[in-house]
Amino acid sequence: MLTLPPAVKIHVAVDPVDMRKSFDGLASVTREHIQLDPMSGHVFVFRNKRRTLMKLIFWDRTGFVVLAKRLSRGTFRLPVEAPEGAKALELEAAQLGLMLEGLDLRGARQRKRWRPRAPSLRV
């Protein structure tokens, strides 16, 4: 299981990617397809066409790290429907963890969470 700090964002590519790609290939897909910097320290997630294999890539200040997981049964499903034309979805670490376990989160309902109010500018 991955433990990620709250400042790290997780971006999951909506379209399938050729899983023969590794460090440089996935970094290139991140730059060109998702249009984000792979060296930002955020996690980028890719799935194959059959959705049985998933690869994660992130930069850890000294180099790229690639993690791969293949499900023996079932498929990796996105927790939400991707908006039209979206290249990637942003997920929370908990959603990624459940997704890596092969759980389908589409029927799950997330309860409202407390969020601090934006500071009001009073003069």
Side-chain angles (χ1 to χ4, degrees), residues 14-92:
V14 174
D15 297 328
V17 173
D18 180 0
M19 285 293 131
R20 292 175 290 183
K21 296 182 185 298
S22 189
F23 298 93
D24 295 329
L26 293 175
S28 177
V29 171
T30 302
R31 266 188 225 97
E32 295 168 12
H33 185 69
I34 300 176
Q35 298 179 343
L36 292 171
D37 180 16
M39 297 173 80
S40 63
H42 299 306
V43 177
F44 300 94
V45 182
F46 303 95
R47 299 174 302 155
N48 66 344
K49 192 173 187 178
R50 291 178 34 209
R51 299 179 307 180
T52 56
L53 182 62
M54 184 182 287
K55 285 189 179 181
L56 290 74
I57 185 171
F58 61 93
W59 180 262
D60 77 346
R61 296 180 306 189
T62 59
F64 283 114
V65 177
V66 173
L67 300 172
K69 179 162 185 180
R70 184 181 68 201
L71 290 176
S72 298
R73 289 188 186 172
T75 59
F76 293 110
R77 302 245 351 215
L78 294 176
V80 293
E81 209 46 54
E84 187 68 32
K87 299 287 185 182
L89 293 174
E90 191 173 326
L91 298 184
E92 294 180 12

Coordinates of all heavy atoms in Angstrom, one line a residue, residues 14-92:
V14 N -7.2 8.8 -18.6 CA -8.5 8.2 -19.0 C -8.3 7.2 -20.1 O -8.9 6.1 -20.1 CB -9.4 9.3 -19.4 CG1 -10.7 8.7 -20.0 CG2 -9.7 10.3 -18.3
D15 N -7.4 7.5 -21.1 CA -7.2 6.6 -22.2 C -6.2 5.5 -21.9 O -5.3 5.8 -21.1 CB -6.8 7.4 -23.5 CG -7.8 8.4 -23.9 OD1 -9.0 8.1 -23.7 OD2 -7.5 9.4 -24.4
P16 N -6.3 4.3 -22.5 CA -5.3 3.3 -22.3 C -4.0 3.6 -22.8 O -3.9 4.4 -23.8 CB -5.9 2.0 -23.0 CG -6.9 2.5 -23.9 CD -7.4 3.9 -23.4
V17 N -2.9 3.0 -22.3 CA -1.6 3.3 -22.7 C -0.9 2.0 -23.0 O -1.2 1.0 -22.3 CB -0.8 4.1 -21.5 CG1 0.7 4.2 -21.9 CG2 -1.4 5.4 -21.3
D18 N 0.0 2.0 -23.9 CA 0.8 0.8 -24.2 C 1.7 0.5 -23.0 O 2.6 1.2 -22.6 CB 1.7 1.1 -25.5 CG 2.6 -0.1 -25.9 OD1 2.5 -1.1 -25.3 OD2 3.3 0.1 -26.9
M19 N 1.5 -0.7 -22.4 CA 2.2 -1.0 -21.2 C 3.6 -1.5 -21.4 O 4.3 -1.9 -20.5 CB 1.4 -2.1 -20.4 CG 0.2 -1.5 -19.7 SD 0.7 -0.4 -18.4 CE -0.3 1.0 -18.8
R20 N 4.1 -1.5 -22.7 CA 5.5 -1.8 -22.9 C 6.4 -0.6 -22.5 O 7.6 -0.8 -22.4 CB 5.7 -2.2 -24.4 CG 5.1 -3.5 -24.7 CD 5.2 -3.8 -26.2 NE 4.4 -2.9 -26.9 CZ 4.2 -2.9 -28.3 NH1 4.9 -3.8 -29.0 NH2 3.4 -2.0 -28.8
K21 N 5.7 0.5 -22.3 CA 6.5 1.7 -21.9 C 6.9 1.6 -20.5 O 6.2 1.0 -19.7 CB 5.6 3.0 -22.1 CG 5.1 3.3 -23.5 CD 4.3 4.5 -23.6 CE 3.8 4.8 -24.9 NZ 4.8 5.0 -26.0
S22 N 8.1 2.2 -20.2 CA 8.6 2.2 -18.9 C 8.9 3.7 -18.5 O 8.1 4.6 -18.8 CB 9.8 1.3 -18.7 OG 10.2 1.2 -17.4
F23 N 10.0 3.9 -17.9 CA 10.3 5.2 -17.3 C 10.2 6.4 -18.3 O 9.3 7.2 -18.1 CB 11.8 5.2 -16.8 CG 12.0 4.3 -15.6 CD1 12.4 3.0 -15.9 CD2 11.7 4.6 -14.3 CE1 12.6 2.1 -14.9 CE2 11.9 3.7 -13.3 CZ 12.3 2.5 -13.6
D24 N 11.0 6.4 -19.4 CA 11.0 7.5 -20.3 C 9.7 7.5 -21.1 O 9.1 8.6 -21.4 CB 12.2 7.4 -21.2 CG 13.5 7.6 -20.5 OD1 13.5 8.3 -19.4 OD2 14.5 7.0 -20.9
G25 N 9.1 6.4 -21.5 CA 7.9 6.4 -22.3 C 6.7 6.9 -21.5 O 5.9 7.7 -22.0
L26 N 6.6 6.5 -20.2 CA 5.5 7.0 -19.4 C 5.7 8.5 -19.1 O 4.7 9.2 -19.0 CB 5.4 6.2 -18.1 CG 4.9 4.7 -18.3 CD1 5.0 4.0 -17.0 CD2 3.5 4.6 -18.9
A27 N 6.9 8.9 -18.9 CA 7.1 10.3 -18.6 C 6.8 11.1 -19.9 O 6.2 12.2 -19.8 CB 8.6 10.6 -18.3
S28 N 7.0 10.6 -21.0 CA 6.7 11.3 -22.3 C 5.2 11.4 -22.5 O 4.6 12.4 -22.9 CB 7.3 10.5 -23.5 OG 6.9 11.1 -24.7
V29 N 4.4 10.3 -22.1 CA 3.0 10.3 -22.2 C 2.4 11.3 -21.2 O 1.5 12.0 -21.5 CB 2.4 8.9 -21.9 CG1 0.9 8.9 -21.7 CG2 2.8 7.9 -23.0
T30 N 3.0 11.4 -20.1 CA 2.6 12.4 -19.1 C 2.7 13.8 -19.6 O 1.8 14.6 -19.5 CB 3.4 12.3 -17.8 OG1 3.3 10.9 -17.3 CG2 2.9 13.2 -16.7
R31 N 3.9 14.1 -20.2 CA 4.1 15.4 -20.8 C 3.2 15.8 -22.0 O 2.6 16.8 -22.0 CB 5.6 15.6 -21.3 CG 6.5 16.1 -20.3 CD 7.9 16.4 -20.9 NE 8.9 15.9 -19.9 CZ 9.5 14.7 -20.0 NH1 9.2 13.9 -21.0 NH2 10.3 14.4 -19.1
E32 N 3.1 14.8 -22.9 CA 2.4 15.1 -24.2 C 0.9 14.9 -24.1 O 0.2 15.6 -24.7 CB 3.1 14.2 -25.3 CG 4.5 14.6 -25.6 CD 5.2 13.6 -26.4 OE1 4.6 12.7 -27.0 OE2 6.5 13.7 -26.5
H33 N 0.5 13.8 -23.5 CA -0.9 13.5 -23.5 C -1.7 14.2 -22.3 O -2.7 14.8 -22.5 CB -1.1 12.0 -23.4 CG -2.5 11.5 -23.5 ND1 -3.2 11.6 -24.7 CD2 -3.3 10.9 -22.6 CE1 -4.4 11.1 -24.5 NE2 -4.5 10.7 -23.2
I34 N -1.2 14.0 -21.1 CA -1.8 14.6 -20.0 C -1.4 16.1 -19.8 O -2.1 16.9 -19.2 CB -1.5 13.8 -18.7 CG1 -1.9 12.4 -18.8 CG2 -2.1 14.4 -17.4 CD1 -1.6 11.5 -17.6
Q35 N -0.3 16.5 -20.4 CA 0.2 17.8 -20.4 C 0.5 18.4 -19.0 O 0.2 19.5 -18.7 CB -0.8 18.8 -21.2 CG -0.9 18.4 -22.6 CD -1.9 19.3 -23.4 OE1 -2.7 20.0 -22.8 NE2 -1.8 19.2 -24.7
L36 N 1.2 17.5 -18.2 CA 1.7 17.9 -16.9 C 3.1 17.5 -16.8 O 3.6 16.6 -17.6 CB 0.8 17.2 -15.8 CG -0.6 17.6 -15.7 CD1 -1.4 16.7 -14.7 CD2 -0.7 19.1 -15.3
D37 N 3.8 18.0 -15.9 CA 5.2 17.8 -15.7 C 5.4 16.5 -14.9 O 5.0 16.5 -13.7 CB 5.9 19.0 -15.0 CG 7.4 18.8 -14.7 OD1 8.0 17.9 -15.4 OD2 7.9 19.5 -13.9
P38 N 6.0 15.5 -15.5 CA 6.2 14.2 -14.7 C 7.2 14.3 -13.5 O 7.2 13.5 -12.7 CB 6.8 13.2 -15.8 CG 7.3 14.1 -16.8 CD 6.6 15.4 -16.8
M39 N 8.0 15.4 -13.5 CA 9.0 15.6 -12.4 C 8.4 16.5 -11.3 O 9.1 17.0 -10.5 CB 10.2 16.2 -13.0 CG 10.9 15.3 -14.0 SD 12.3 16.0 -14.8 CE 13.5 15.8 -13.6
S40 N 7.1 16.7 -11.3 CA 6.4 17.6 -10.3 C 6.3 16.9 -8.9 O 6.0 17.6 -8.0 CB 5.0 17.9 -10.8 OG 4.2 16.7 -10.9
G41 N 6.5 15.6 -8.9 CA 6.4 14.9 -7.6 C 5.0 14.3 -7.4 O 4.8 13.6 -6.4
H42 N 4.1 14.6 -8.4 CA 2.8 14.0 -8.3 C 2.8 12.6 -8.9 O 3.8 12.2 -9.6 CB 1.8 14.8 -9.1 CG 1.7 16.2 -8.5 ND1 1.4 16.4 -7.1 CD2 1.8 17.4 -9.0 CE1 1.4 17.7 -6.9 NE2 1.6 18.4 -8.0
V43 N 1.8 11.8 -8.7 CA 1.7 10.4 -9.1 C 0.8 10.4 -10.4 O -0.2 11.0 -10.4 CB 1.1 9.5 -8.1 CG1 1.0 8.1 -8.6 CG2 2.0 9.5 -6.8
F44 N 1.3 9.7 -11.4 CA 0.6 9.5 -12.7 C 0.3 8.1 -12.9 O 1.2 7.2 -12.8 CB 1.4 10.1 -13.8 CG 1.7 11.6 -13.6 CD1 2.8 12.0 -13.0 CD2 0.7 12.5 -14.0 CE1 3.1 13.4 -12.8 CE2 1.0 13.9 -13.7 CZ 2.1 14.3 -13.2
V45 N -0.9 7.7 -13.2 CA -1.4 6.4 -13.2 C -1.9 6.0 -14.7 O -2.6 6.8 -15.3 CB -2.5 6.1 -12.2 CG1 -3.0 4.7 -12.3 CG2 -2.1 6.5 -10.8
F46 N -1.5 4.9 -15.2 CA -1.9 4.5 -16.5 C -2.4 3.0 -16.5 O -1.9 2.2 -15.7 CB -0.7 4.5 -17.4 CG 0.0 5.9 -17.5 CD1 1.1 6.2 -16.7 CD2 -0.5 6.9 -18.3 CE1 1.6 7.4 -16.7 CE2 0.0 8.1 -18.4 CZ 1.1 8.4 -17.6
R47 N -3.4 2.7 -17.4 CA -3.9 1.4 -17.5 C -3.8 0.9 -18.9 O -3.7 1.7 -19.8 CB -5.4 1.4 -17.1 CG -5.8 1.9 -15.7 CD -7.3 2.0 -15.5 NE -7.8 2.9 -16.5 CZ -9.1 2.9 -16.9 NH1 -9.9 2.0 -16.4 NH2 -9.5 3.8 -17.8
N48 N -3.8 -0.4 -19.1 CA -3.7 -1.0 -20.4 C -5.1 -1.1 -21.0 O -6.1 -0.7 -20.3 CB -3.0 -2.3 -20.4 CG -3.8 -3.4 -19.7 OD1 -4.7 -3.1 -18.9 ND2 -3.4 -4.7 -19.9
K49 N -5.2 -1.4 -22.2 CA -6.5 -1.5 -22.9 C -7.5 -2.5 -22.3 O -8.7 -2.2 -22.2 CB -6.3 -1.8 -24.4 CG -7.5 -1.6 -25.3 CD -7.1 -1.9 -26.8 CE -8.2 -1.5 -27.7 NZ -7.8 -1.6 -29.1
R50 N -7.0 -3.6 -21.8 CA -7.8 -4.6 -21.2 C -8.1 -4.3 -19.7 O -8.9 -4.9 -19.1 CB -7.2 -6.0 -21.3 CG -7.1 -6.5 -22.7 CD -6.5 -7.8 -22.9 NE -6.6 -8.7 -21.8 CZ -5.8 -9.6 -21.4 NH1 -4.7 -9.8 -22.1 NH2 -6.0 -10.4 -20.4
R51 N -7.5 -3.2 -19.2 CA -7.7 -2.7 -17.8 C -7.3 -3.8 -16.8 O -7.8 -3.8 -15.7 CB -9.1 -2.3 -17.6 CG -9.5 -1.1 -18.5 CD -10.9 -0.7 -18.2 NE -11.8 -1.8 -18.3 CZ -13.0 -1.8 -18.2 NH1 -13.6 -0.7 -17.9 NH2 -13.8 -2.9 -18.3
T52 N -6.3 -4.7 -17.1 CA -5.9 -5.7 -16.2 C -4.5 -5.3 -15.6 O -4.0 -5.9 -14.6 CB -5.7 -7.0 -16.8 OG1 -4.9 -6.9 -18.0 CG2 -7.1 -7.5 -17.3
L53 N -3.8 -4.3 -16.2 CA -2.5 -3.9 -15.8 C -2.5 -2.4 -15.5 O -3.1 -1.6 -16.3 CB -1.5 -4.3 -16.8 CG 0.0 -4.0 -16.5 CD1 0.5 -4.7 -15.3 CD2 0.8 -4.3 -17.8
M54 N -1.8 -2.0 -14.4 CA -1.8 -0.6 -14.1 C -0.3 -0.3 -13.7 O 0.4 -1.1 -13.1 CB -2.7 -0.3 -12.9 CG -2.7 1.2 -12.5 SD -3.8 1.4 -11.0 CE -5.4 1.2 -11.7
K55 N 0.2 0.9 -14.2 CA 1.5 1.4 -13.9 C 1.4 2.8 -13.3 O 0.6 3.6 -13.8 CB 2.4 1.4 -15.1 CG 2.9 0.0 -15.5 CD 3.9 0.1 -16.6 CE 4.4 -1.2 -17.0 NZ 5.5 -1.2 -18.0
L56 N 2.2 3.0 -12.3 CA 2.3 4.4 -11.6 C 3.7 4.9 -11.8 O 4.6 4.1 -11.7 CB 2.0 4.3 -10.1 CG 0.6 4.0 -9.7 CD1 0.2 2.5 -9.9 CD2 0.5 4.3 -8.2
I57 N 3.8 6.1 -12.1 CA 5.1 6.8 -12.2 C 5.1 8.0 -11.4 O 4.1 8.8 -11.4 CB 5.5 7.0 -13.7 CG1 7.0 7.6 -13.8 CG2 4.5 8.0 -14.4 CD1 7.5 7.6 -15.2
F58 N 6.2 8.3 -10.7 CA 6.4 9.5 -10.0 C 7.9 9.8 -9.8 O 8.7 8.9 -9.9 CB 5.7 9.5 -8.6 CG 6.2 8.5 -7.7 CD1 7.2 8.8 -6.7 CD2 5.6 7.2 -7.6 CE1 7.6 7.8 -5.8 CE2 6.0 6.3 -6.7 CZ 7.0 6.6 -5.8
W59 N 8.2 11.1 -9.6 CA 9.6 11.5 -9.4 C 9.8 11.7 -7.9 O 9.1 12.3 -7.2 CB 9.8 12.9 -10.1 CG 11.1 13.5 -10.0 CD1 11.5 14.4 -9.2 CD2 12.3 13.1 -10.8 NE1 12.8 14.7 -9.3 CE2 13.3 13.9 -10.4 CE3 12.5 12.2 -11.8 CZ2 14.6 13.9 -10.9 CZ3 13.8 12.2 -12.4 CH2 14.8 13.0 -11.9
D60 N 10.9 11.1 -7.4 CA 11.2 11.2 -6.0 C 12.4 12.0 -5.6 O 13.1 11.7 -4.7 CB 11.3 9.8 -5.4 CG 12.6 9.1 -5.7 OD1 13.3 9.5 -6.6 OD2 12.9 8.1 -5.0
R61 N 12.7 13.0 -6.4 CA 13.9 13.9 -6.2 C 15.2 13.4 -6.7 O 16.1 14.1 -6.9 CB 14.0 14.4 -4.7 CG 12.9 15.2 -4.2 CD 13.1 15.6 -2.8 NE 13.4 14.4 -2.0 CZ 13.5 14.4 -0.7 NH1 13.4 15.5 0.0 NH2 13.8 13.3 -0.1
T62 N 15.3 12.1 -6.9 CA 16.6 11.5 -7.4 C 16.3 10.7 -8.7 O 17.3 10.4 -9.4 CB 17.2 10.6 -6.4 OG1 16.3 9.5 -6.1 CG2 17.6 11.3 -5.1
G63 N 15.1 10.5 -9.0 CA 14.8 9.7 -10.3 C 13.4 9.3 -10.3 O 12.6 9.5 -9.4
F64 N 13.0 8.7 -11.4 CA 11.6 8.2 -11.6 C 11.5 6.8 -10.9 O 12.4 6.0 -10.9 CB 11.3 8.0 -13.1 CG 11.0 9.3 -13.8 CD1 11.8 9.8 -14.8 CD2 9.8 10.0 -13.4 CE1 11.5 11.0 -15.4 CE2 9.5 11.2 -14.1 CZ 10.4 11.7 -15.1
V65 N 10.3 6.6 -10.4 CA 9.9 5.3 -9.8 C 8.7 4.8 -10.6 O 7.7 5.6 -10.8 CB 9.5 5.5 -8.3 CG1 9.0 4.2 -7.7 CG2 10.7 6.1 -7.5
V66 N 8.7 3.6 -11.0 CA 7.6 3.0 -11.7 C 7.2 1.8 -10.9 O 8.0 0.9 -10.5 CB 8.0 2.6 -13.1 CG1 6.9 1.8 -13.8 CG2 8.4 3.8 -14.0
L67 N 5.9 1.8 -10.6 CA 5.3 0.6 -10.0 C 4.2 0.0 -10.9 O 3.6 0.7 -11.6 CB 4.5 1.0 -8.7 CG 5.4 1.7 -7.6 CD1 4.5 2.3 -6.5 CD2 6.4 0.7 -7.0
A68 N 4.1 -1.3 -10.9 CA 3.2 -2.0 -11.8 C 2.4 -3.0 -11.0 O 2.9 -3.6 -10.0 CB 3.9 -2.7 -12.9
K69 N 1.1 -3.1 -11.3 CA 0.3 -4.2 -10.7 C -0.6 -4.8 -11.8 O -1.2 -4.1 -12.6 CB -0.6 -3.6 -9.6 CG -1.5 -4.7 -9.0 CD -2.0 -4.3 -7.7 CE -2.8 -5.5 -7.1 NZ -3.4 -5.3 -5.8
R70 N -0.7 -6.1 -11.8 CA -1.6 -6.8 -12.7 C -2.5 -7.6 -11.9 O -2.2 -8.3 -10.9 CB -0.7 -7.8 -13.6 CG -1.6 -8.5 -14.6 CD -0.8 -9.4 -15.4 NE -0.4 -10.5 -14.6 CZ 0.6 -11.3 -14.9 NH1 1.4 -11.1 -15.9 NH2 1.0 -12.3 -14.0
L71 N -3.8 -7.5 -12.2 CA -4.8 -8.3 -11.5 C -4.9 -9.7 -12.1 O -4.9 -9.8 -13.3 CB -6.2 -7.6 -11.6 CG -6.4 -6.3 -10.9 CD1 -7.8 -5.7 -11.2 CD2 -6.2 -6.5 -9.4
S72 N -5.1 -10.7 -11.2 CA -5.2 -12.0 -11.7 C -6.6 -12.2 -12.2 O -6.8 -13.0 -13.2 CB -5.0 -13.0 -10.5 OG -3.7 -12.9 -10.0
R73 N -7.6 -11.5 -11.6 CA -9.0 -11.6 -12.1 C -9.6 -10.2 -12.0 O -9.2 -9.4 -11.1 CB -9.9 -12.5 -11.2 CG -9.6 -13.9 -11.4 CD -10.6 -14.7 -10.6 NE -10.2 -16.1 -10.6 CZ -10.8 -17.0 -9.9 NH1 -11.8 -16.7 -9.1 NH2 -10.5 -18.3 -10.0
G74 N -10.5 -9.9 -12.8 CA -11.2 -8.6 -12.8 C -10.4 -7.5 -13.6 O -9.4 -7.8 -14.2
T75 N -10.9 -6.3 -13.4 CA -10.3 -5.2 -14.1 C -10.2 -4.0 -13.2 O -11.0 -3.9 -12.3 CB -11.1 -4.8 -15.4 OG1 -12.5 -4.5 -15.0 CG2 -11.2 -5.9 -16.4
F76 N -9.3 -3.1 -13.6 CA -9.2 -1.8 -12.9 C -10.3 -0.8 -13.5 O -10.3 -0.6 -14.7 CB -7.8 -1.1 -13.1 CG -6.7 -1.9 -12.4 CD1 -5.8 -2.6 -13.2 CD2 -6.6 -1.9 -11.0 CE1 -4.8 -3.3 -12.6 CE2 -5.6 -2.6 -10.4 CZ -4.7 -3.3 -11.2
R77 N -11.1 -0.3 -12.7 CA -12.2 0.6 -13.2 C -12.0 2.0 -12.5 O -11.6 2.1 -11.4 CB -13.6 0.1 -12.8 CG -13.9 -1.2 -13.3 CD -15.0 -1.4 -14.3 NE -15.8 -0.3 -14.5 CZ -17.1 -0.4 -14.8 NH1 -17.7 -1.5 -14.7 NH2 -17.8 0.7 -15.0
L78 N -12.2 3.0 -13.3 CA -12.1 4.4 -12.8 C -13.3 4.6 -11.8 O -14.4 4.1 -12.0 CB -12.2 5.4 -13.9 CG -11.1 5.4 -14.9 CD1 -11.4 6.4 -16.0 CD2 -9.8 5.8 -14.2
P79 N -13.1 5.3 -10.7 CA -14.1 5.4 -9.7 C -15.3 6.4 -10.1 O -16.4 6.3 -9.6 CB -13.4 6.0 -8.5 CG -12.1 6.5 -9.0 CD -11.8 5.8 -10.2
V80 N -15.0 7.2 -11.1 CA -16.1 8.1 -11.6 C -16.0 8.1 -13.1 O -15.0 7.8 -13.7 CB -15.9 9.6 -11.1 CG1 -16.1 9.6 -9.6 CG2 -14.6 10.1 -11.4
E81 N -17.1 8.5 -13.7 CA -17.1 8.7 -15.2 C -16.3 9.9 -15.6 O -16.4 11.0 -15.0 CB -18.6 8.9 -15.6 CG -19.0 8.4 -16.9 CD -18.5 7.0 -17.4 OE1 -18.8 6.1 -16.7 OE2 -18.0 7.0 -18.5
A82 N -15.5 9.8 -16.6 CA -14.6 10.9 -17.0 C -15.4 11.9 -17.8 O -16.2 11.5 -18.7 CB -13.4 10.4 -17.9
P83 N -15.3 13.2 -17.6 CA -16.0 14.2 -18.4 C -15.5 14.1 -19.8 O -14.4 13.7 -20.1 CB -15.5 15.5 -17.7 CG -14.9 15.2 -16.4 CD -14.5 13.8 -16.5
E84 N -16.4 14.5 -20.7 CA -16.1 14.5 -22.1 C -14.8 15.3 -22.4 O -14.7 16.4 -22.0 CB -17.2 15.1 -22.9 CG -17.1 15.0 -24.4 CD -17.2 13.6 -24.9 OE1 -17.9 12.8 -24.3 OE2 -16.6 13.3 -25.9
G85 N -13.9 14.7 -23.1 CA -12.6 15.4 -23.5 C -11.6 15.4 -22.5 O -10.5 15.9 -22.7
A86 N -11.8 14.8 -21.3 CA -10.8 14.8 -20.2 C -9.7 13.9 -20.6 O -9.9 12.8 -21.0 CB -11.5 14.4 -18.9
K87 N -8.5 14.3 -20.3 CA -7.3 13.4 -20.6 C -6.9 12.6 -19.3 O -6.4 11.6 -19.4 CB -6.1 14.3 -21.0 CG -6.3 15.1 -22.2 CD -6.3 14.1 -23.4 CE -6.3 14.9 -24.7 NZ -6.3 14.1 -25.9
A88 N -7.3 13.2 -18.1 CA -6.9 12.5 -16.9 C -7.9 13.0 -15.8 O -8.5 14.0 -15.9 CB -5.5 12.9 -16.4
L89 N -8.1 12.1 -14.8 CA -8.9 12.4 -13.6 C -8.0 12.5 -12.4 O -6.9 11.9 -12.3 CB -9.8 11.2 -13.3 CG -10.9 11.0 -14.3 CD1 -11.7 9.7 -13.9 CD2 -11.9 12.1 -14.4
E90 N -8.3 13.4 -11.5 CA -7.6 13.6 -10.3 C -8.3 12.8 -9.2 O -9.5 13.0 -8.9 CB -7.5 15.0 -9.9 CG -6.5 15.3 -8.8 CD -6.2 16.7 -8.5 OE1 -6.2 17.5 -9.4 OE2 -6.0 17.1 -7.3
L91 N -7.5 11.9 -8.5 CA -8.1 11.0 -7.5 C -7.5 11.4 -6.1 O -6.4 11.9 -6.1 CB -7.9 9.6 -7.8 CG -8.4 9.0 -9.0 CD1 -8.1 7.5 -9.0 CD2 -9.9 9.2 -9.1
E92 N -8.1 10.9 -5.1 CA -7.5 11.0 -3.7 C -6.8 9.7 -3.5 O -7.0 8.7 -4.2 CB -8.6 11.1 -2.7 CG -9.4 12.4 -2.8 CD -10.5 12.5 -1.7 OE1 -10.5 11.7 -0.8 OE2 -11.3 13.4 -1.8

